[in-house]
């Protein structure tokens, strides 16, 4: 190791140790008896952020997402269809994906993209396909797939998740199975 590397490594180590020691002293600087009144004073403080600066959102739980995905997969299996089901949250992050036995390799990504598209526009992807005629560049948005098979999950009219199904011979069937997943959440 050359001199410059040793000096930089030593400096970084000294800074890290110093920060840790300072943090330990700062954390214990206030006696426990004073901590509760200080916390109460901050909580009741009037010049802090107001509630109008925050929103409350609804999220689909992992259990609910799994229940919806299983219902969609079972609806497809009842019609001898080999599909993949994906459930994404409001931000398009995958909560759960179930790949049915025999589902094609393309179905995994397609199901996720359909779910993302449905939740992004708060509409079934079959409806969104019609919008491509007026705005064909919508299909260029990364992560989207404008084929039937995706449907949003709503709470109070707002999208909170999306369910995408891919692998059946038509988008209509995929969407039928996705809706079975949404319906399972109402039970």
């Amino acid at each position: 190791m050359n001199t410059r590397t040793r000096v930089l490594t030593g400096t970084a180590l000294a800074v890290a140790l110093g920060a840790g020691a300072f943090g330990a002293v700062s954390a214990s600087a206030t006696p426990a008896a004073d901590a509760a009144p200080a916390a109460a004073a901050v909580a009741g403080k009037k010049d802090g952020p107001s509630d109008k600066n925050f929103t409350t959102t609804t999220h689909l739980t992992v259990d609910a997402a799994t229940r919806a995905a299983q219902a969609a997969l079972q609806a497809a299996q009842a019609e001898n269809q080999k599909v993949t089901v994906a459930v994404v949250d409001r931000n398009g992050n995958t909560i759960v994906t179930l790949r049915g036995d025999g589902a094609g390799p393309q179905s995994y990504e397609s199901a996720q993209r359909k779910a993302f598209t449905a939740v992004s526009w708060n509409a079934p992807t079959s409806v969104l396909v019609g919008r491509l005629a007026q705005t064909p560049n919508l299909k260029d948005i990364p992560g989207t797939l404008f084929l039937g098979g995706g449907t949003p999950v709503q709470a109070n009219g707002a999208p909170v998740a999306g369910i995408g199904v891919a692998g059946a011979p038509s988008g209509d069937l995929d969407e039928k199975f996705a809706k079975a997943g949404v319906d399972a959440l109402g039970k």
Side-chain angles (χ1 to χ4, degrees):
M1 205 158 51
N2 67 29
T3 304
R4 181 174 181 206
T5 304
R6 278 188 258 162
V7 169
L8 289 174
T9 303
T11 303
L13 184 58
V15 168
L17 289 173
F22 178 75
V25 170
S26 295
S28 64
T30 305
D34 294 340
V42 170
K45 197 174 185 182
K46 296 291 183 195
D47 59 343
S50 71
D51 288 343
K52 69 180 180 178
N53 293 323
F54 299 95
T55 61
T56 301
T57 61
T58 302
H59 296 277
L60 203 57
T61 65
V62 171
D63 288 339
T66 301
R67 191 171 64 247
Q70 288 174 330
L73 187 59
Q74 288 170 350
Q77 289 170 339
E79 295 191 27
N80 294 319
Q81 297 300 316
K82 298 170 180 8
V83 301
T84 297
V85 180
V87 181
V88 302
D89 66 13
R90 176 63 182 111
N91 298 320
N93 300 309
T94 303
I95 301 172
V96 66
T97 302
L98 297 178
R99 185 179 178 274
D101 294 336
Q106 77 288 356
S107 66
Y108 190 87
E109 183 179 348
S110 296
Q112 289 177 326
R113 291 174 60 191
K114 288 178 182 183
F116 173 74
T117 304
V119 74
S120 295
W121 277 274
N122 193 22
T125 52
S126 61
V127 171
L128 297 171
V129 169
R131 294 184 189 172
L132 286 178
Q134 296 122 355
T135 316
N137 60 343
L138 282 178
K139 69 182 179 327
D140 298 331
I141 297 172
T144 59
L145 185 59
F146 290 88
L147 296 173
T151 188
V153 176
Q154 299 176 345
N156 299 322
V160 295
I163 300 175
V165 177
S170 75
D172 292 341
L173 280 174
D174 285 338
E175 198 160 304
K176 175 182 173 182
F177 306 141
K179 287 180 182 175
V182 173
D183 291 344
L185 294 172
K187 296 177 183 174

